[in-house]
Amino acid sequence: MGTAALLRAAGVGVGDEVVVSAFGNVEVAEAVTLAGALPVFAEIDPATYCLAPAAVEAAVTPRTAAVVVVHRFGRRADLARLHALGQRHGLLVLEHGETEAPYDEIARRRERAAYLDAKLRGVQTPDGGDRHTYQQYVVRIPGNGRPDRDAFARAVRAKGVECRVPVKTPVHRLPEFRRYVFLPETERAADETLALPVDASLTKRDMQRVASACNALGGLLQPAV
């Protein structure tokens, strides 16, 4: 059952608000609208890219009926705190999860991620943690925001390394969902993040190529904090 159907089944509809993330997953905001409710955008945790529980709490109003939680890039949201928040305020808490890969594939991704953690210079590597499954290996390109990240991406691609910008425009900046809300962590993440390859099929030579291509571009970057 889809998110819109789950919301409707729980009685969420016209006049209700549903707290969601603006960092990607426009389909979640669309599902809230399809159910007849209003999506309300809350800030993310900059380490996990998932909804920050404190920001969700701050976004709750008397009209809030639900929260839709999205797990991002292989990192899970803080479900314990979000469910506790839901109980305090009488809110439905739904998960919009990523497809889980087989354990052997996750293990290989973790190996490749560990290699990049050790080799990369001048970028901010992911805050891994024991439960990170590395659906995507997302680094931050420090400096002055979007121009640095985009220049870095173009240069890495020119060296034959596939990379992608995971979220080009936060949902609250899209015309159909434009909201005048202050979400600095969301916007900073959209400006700075870049997904590098850690697919289970990549060889050691492939990973060396990724690290070499990235490290050769250190001159584009300010020192990582």
Side-chain angles (χ1 to χ4, degrees), residues 1-217:
M1 187 180 293
T3 299
L6 288 170
L7 290 169
R8 285 195 297 261
V12 177
V14 177
D16 292 326
E17 296 176 348
V18 178
V19 181
V20 299
S21 170
F23 188 63
N25 298 100
V26 65
E27 70 273 12
V28 174
E30 290 171 342
V32 172
T33 302
L34 190 60
L38 177 71
V40 173
F41 300 108
E43 186 62 286
I44 59 169
D45 179 310
T48 66
Y49 304 105
C50 303
L51 279 173
V56 174
E57 184 103 47
V60 171
T61 74
R63 293 195 296 173
T64 306
V67 181
V68 180
V69 183
V70 179
H71 305 298
R72 296 309 308 265
F73 310 141
R75 283 294 301 268
R76 293 184 64 78
D78 190 342
L79 285 176
R81 288 182 63 191
L82 289 166
H83 279 296
L85 184 158
Q87 290 179 346
R88 285 198 304 275
H89 294 281
L91 308 177
L92 173 69
V93 178
L94 293 179
E95 292 181 61
H96 183 90
E98 298 172 313
T99 303
E100 287 292 335
Y103 181 78
D104 60 340
E105 182 176 335
I106 292 172
R108 291 195 294 274
R109 285 180 183 168
R110 284 173 170 161
E111 288 176 0
R112 287 148 182 78
Y115 177 86
L116 292 182
D117 285 347
K119 297 294 184 181
L120 289 178
R121 301 289 180 268
V123 302
Q124 182 181 330
T125 55
D127 180 5
D130 294 340
R131 299 184 65 190
H132 202 319
T133 61
Y134 295 100
Q135 300 279 45
Q136 296 186 59
Y137 184 89
V138 176
V139 300
R140 285 182 183 251
I141 311 301
N144 298 317
R146 189 180 299 275
D148 291 344
R149 189 272 314 281
D150 290 351
F152 186 92
R154 286 193 298 271
V156 168
R157 292 186 188 115
K159 291 177 177 290
V161 173
E162 291 296 325
C163 61
R164 61 180 296 272
V165 174
V167 175
K168 294 182 179 179
T169 304
V171 181
H172 72 295
R173 295 302 184 209
L174 297 175
E176 62 270 40
F177 292 109
R178 190 172 294 279
R179 302 282 191 279
Y180 294 101
V181 292
F182 185 57
L183 302 175
E185 293 295 350
T186 297
E187 297 193 12
R188 188 175 299 117
D191 284 346
E192 295 181 351
T193 51
L194 187 69
L196 298 176
V198 288
D199 300 342
S201 61
L202 295 174
T203 65
K204 185 174 182 180
R205 180 170 293 182
D206 292 330
M207 299 312 300
Q208 290 171 338
R209 187 180 300 114
V210 173
S212 295
C214 292
N215 290 345
L217 303 173

